[in-house]
Amino acid sequence: MLRIGMGYDVHRLAEDRKLIMGGVEIPHEKGLLGHSDADVVVHAIMDALLGAIAAGDIGKHFPDTDEKYKGISSVLLLEHVGYLLEEKKVVINNIDATIIAQCPKMAPYIDTMRENIAKALKITKEQVNIKATTEEGLGFTGREEGIASQAIVLVEQ
């Protein structure tokens, strides 16, 4: 049976934080504010995968009230989601994610993001697509107040 999942995440940009996207540290004067490393693209992918198997969302599995997740790498959390899929005998057909950010430019880092996500989920890089767009200066992302990401996945059980 084929199942589709959709995910969305957003975090505010803040001083004195690293900017981590797809498990890659990207040089920037601000980073994303969150309980974990606030990696919005990985968070959107995790929510999409959890949605595809009707297993809730990342807040249910990794609550921001639990200190063991403070500052944790989202790629480690993604590996855990991968194990949940394995337990349910679900395989990932493909992942398609979009990063919405005015800056910095994501293009130089996208291949490494794809590799990190594929490795964490034990799939091929070709099964993971990541793209980035700006909002032409509009909205909170356009004003550089935050970064958002959307993801959709197709899985088979």
Side-chain angles (χ1 to χ4, degrees), residues 14-141:
E15 301 285 337
D16 300 319
R17 291 281 297 191
K18 292 179 181 180
L19 180 60
I20 309 293
M21 300 293 291
V24 178
E25 184 174 338
I26 298 173
H28 194 57
E29 65 270 8
K30 292 182 179 179
L32 293 171
L33 187 61
H35 188 67
S36 67
D37 63 8
D39 186 332
V40 292
V41 68
V42 172
H43 290 188
I45 290 168
M46 286 191 294
D47 266 348
L49 291 167
L50 290 167
I53 62 171
D57 61 18
I58 60 175
K60 174 183 173 183
H61 292 270
F62 316 109
D64 63 6
T65 54
D66 191 331
E67 283 301 306
K68 72 180 173 187
Y69 301 122
K70 186 165 180 58
I72 195 168
S73 166
S74 294
V75 173
L76 292 176
L77 302 178
L78 181 61
E79 288 176 4
H80 179 74
V81 171
Y83 297 134
L84 294 176
L85 270 68
E86 284 178 25
E87 286 175 2
K88 291 185 176 260
K89 298 186 181 353
V90 171
V91 295
I92 297 167
N93 285 351
N94 73 298
I95 296 170
D96 188 24
T98 303
I99 299 167
I100 305 153
Q102 194 64 37
C103 70
K105 295 291 181 195
M106 300 291 164
Y109 310 100
I110 285 177
D111 275 344
T112 307
M113 291 181 205
R114 291 175 60 214
E115 289 168 5
N116 291 344
I117 290 162
K119 182 179 177 186
L121 293 170
K122 301 176 188 170
I123 59 176
T124 67
K125 180 179 160 184
E126 289 69 31
Q127 291 172 275
V128 180
N129 186 59
I130 299 176
K131 54 204 175 295
T133 189
T134 69
E135 290 192 302
E136 304 295 328
L138 299 173
F140 72 90
T141 60

